[in-house]
């Protein structure tokens, strides 16, 4: 786990089984975790490193979107979880999924899932009976404001090319934005691409937010200028 600012830490991504960045914000009253990890083992790694740093347990965990690598560790955490209502709808649907080879291949054939996700799920879960999909405790519409004590975190649903339920978490005083995967391509509808309407809307929403440093789900921290520059490179 690495320290980004005085109050903000993050566990870096691990591409071996598509483990995303997990965030941690220490307020004076409450701590917030951003995203829940892709398994109980991933969540346990976060918890172990948090304890080694002497950081208090998070009271809340905020989800950025519904994709498996950001949410399958949720059931192993004791924090109160928050997500957009749209994310909650996706989680409720995934909770009904089966995990045999045939069922996973069927979802690839129907377009519900993609080979990349299924391949990494198999790597992360040698025993797929251990997969548990849990819904969030609190669902919000559009946005949410969390006063952590000395730091306010705003959850803002921004949508975008990657997934329509994408939420970002903005620490107002620190100027840090947790993006999840909202700046990534759409991988679920044909070859990876940036739908132009959704891309333009996302750029406008991110430009309107006041932040200096952005943490994406599968990369290193970047500045606001770097994130926006990278996104605008995909406008045609």
């Amino acid at each position: 786990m690495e320290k980004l600012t005085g109050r903000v830490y993050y566990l870096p991504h691990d591409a071996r089984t598509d483990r995303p960045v997990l965030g941690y914000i220490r307020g004076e009253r409450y701590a917030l975790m951003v995203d829940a990890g892709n398994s109980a083992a991933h969540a346990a790694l976060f918890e172990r490193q948090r304890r080694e740093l002497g950081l208090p347990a998070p009271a809340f965990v905020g989800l950025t979107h519904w994709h498996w690598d950001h949410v399958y560790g949720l059931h192993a955490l004791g924090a109160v979880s928050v997500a957009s209502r749209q994310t909650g709808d996706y989680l409720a649907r995934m909770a009904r999924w089966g995990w045999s080879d045939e069922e996973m291949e069927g979802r690839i054939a129907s377009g519900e899932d993609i080979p990349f996700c299924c391949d990494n799920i198999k790597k992360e879960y040698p025993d797929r009976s251990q997969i548990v999909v849990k819904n969030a405790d609190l669902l919000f519409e559009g946005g949410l404001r969390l006063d952590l004590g000395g730091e306010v975190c705003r959850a803002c649903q921004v949508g975008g090319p990657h997934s329509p339920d994408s939420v970002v978490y903005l620490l107002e005083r620190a100027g840090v934005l947790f993006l999840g995967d909202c700046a990534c391509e759409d991988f679920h509808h044909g070859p990876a691409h940036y739908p132009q309407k959704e891309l333009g809307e996302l750029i406008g929403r991110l430009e309107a937010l006041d932040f200096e440093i952005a943490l994406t789900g599968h990369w290193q921290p970047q500045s606001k200028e770097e994130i926006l520059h990278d996104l605008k490179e995909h406008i045609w």
Side-chain angles (χ1 to χ4, degrees), residues 37-102:
N38 72 354
S39 66
H42 191 197
L45 174 64
F46 175 91
E47 284 292 278
R48 185 165 62 252
Q49 296 205 9
R50 173 192 63 76
R51 288 192 298 269
E52 288 173 359
L53 290 171
L55 299 170
F60 303 98
V61 54
L63 304 181
T64 60
H65 63 300
W66 69 277
H67 290 163
W68 80 280
D69 49 317
H70 297 257
V71 301
Y72 281 14
L74 186 59
H75 71 98
L77 297 168
V80 174
S81 53
V82 298
S84 73
R85 184 166 298 279
Q86 193 172 11
T87 297
D89 291 342
Y90 282 121
L91 291 173
R93 185 186 72 187
M94 277 200 298
R96 299 190 292 269
W97 285 3
W99 295 103
S100 68
D101 288 343
E102 293 77 16

Side-chain angles (χ1 to χ4, degrees), residues 4-230:
L4 185 67
T5 72
R7 294 181 183 270
V8 182
Y9 298 76
Y10 69 99
L11 184 65
H13 72 286
D14 184 343
R16 289 175 296 178
T17 58
D18 201 33
R19 289 182 171 183
V21 164
L22 301 181
Y24 177 92
I25 303 102
R26 181 176 186 172
E28 294 170 1
R29 289 184 294 169
Y30 307 109
L32 169 70
M33 179 179 180
V34 180
D35 278 329
N38 72 354
S39 66
H42 191 197
L45 174 64
F46 175 91
E47 284 292 278
R48 185 165 62 252
Q49 296 205 9
R50 173 192 63 76
R51 288 192 298 269
E52 288 173 359
L53 290 171
L55 299 170
F60 303 98
V61 54
L63 304 181
T64 60
H65 63 300
W66 69 277
H67 290 163
W68 80 280
D69 49 317
H70 297 257
V71 301
Y72 281 14
L74 186 59
H75 71 98
L77 297 168
V80 174
S81 53
V82 298
S84 73
R85 184 166 298 279
Q86 193 172 11
T87 297
D89 291 342
Y90 282 121
L91 291 173
R93 185 186 72 187
M94 277 200 298
R96 299 190 292 269
W97 285 3
W99 295 103
S100 68
D101 288 343
E102 293 77 16
E103 288 166 309
M104 295 179 77
E105 289 165 7
R107 287 194 294 273
I108 292 173
S110 69
E112 277 189 287
D113 211 345
I114 58 174
F116 179 79
C117 291
C118 290
D119 290 345
N120 279 290
I121 287 170
K122 291 175 181 178
K123 293 176 188 176
E124 181 70 27
Y125 289 92
D127 178 3
R128 276 171 265 155
S129 70
Q130 299 301 307
I131 296 174
V132 178
V133 182
K134 180 182 180 294
N135 211 333
D137 300 307
L138 300 175
L139 301 177
F140 61 83
E141 297 275 2
L144 180 72
R145 185 178 184 273
L146 291 171
D147 186 346
L148 304 175
E151 186 63 81
V152 170
C153 182
R154 286 173 51 206
C156 310
Q157 189 166 351
V158 296
H162 189 71
S163 187
D165 65 319
S166 289
V167 170
V168 297
Y169 290 83
L170 173 65
L171 306 181
E172 295 180 333
R173 289 182 60 186
V176 175
L177 185 69
F178 286 91
L179 288 171
D181 292 352
C182 73
C184 296
E185 304 99 313
D186 177 357
F187 293 103
H188 282 253
H189 303 94
H193 68 290
Y194 281 93
Q196 293 296 290
K197 178 178 181 293
E198 289 82 357
L199 176 59
E201 291 173 348
L202 176 65
I203 289 171
R205 289 167 183 154
L206 295 182
E207 285 179 329
L209 296 176
D210 185 12
F211 67 97
E212 297 178 2
I213 303 173
L215 278 158
T216 58
H218 299 272
W219 196 241
Q220 299 173 3
Q222 293 178 280
S223 69
K224 181 176 184 177
E225 291 74 19
E226 288 170 330
I227 285 288
L228 291 172
H229 176 268
D230 289 350

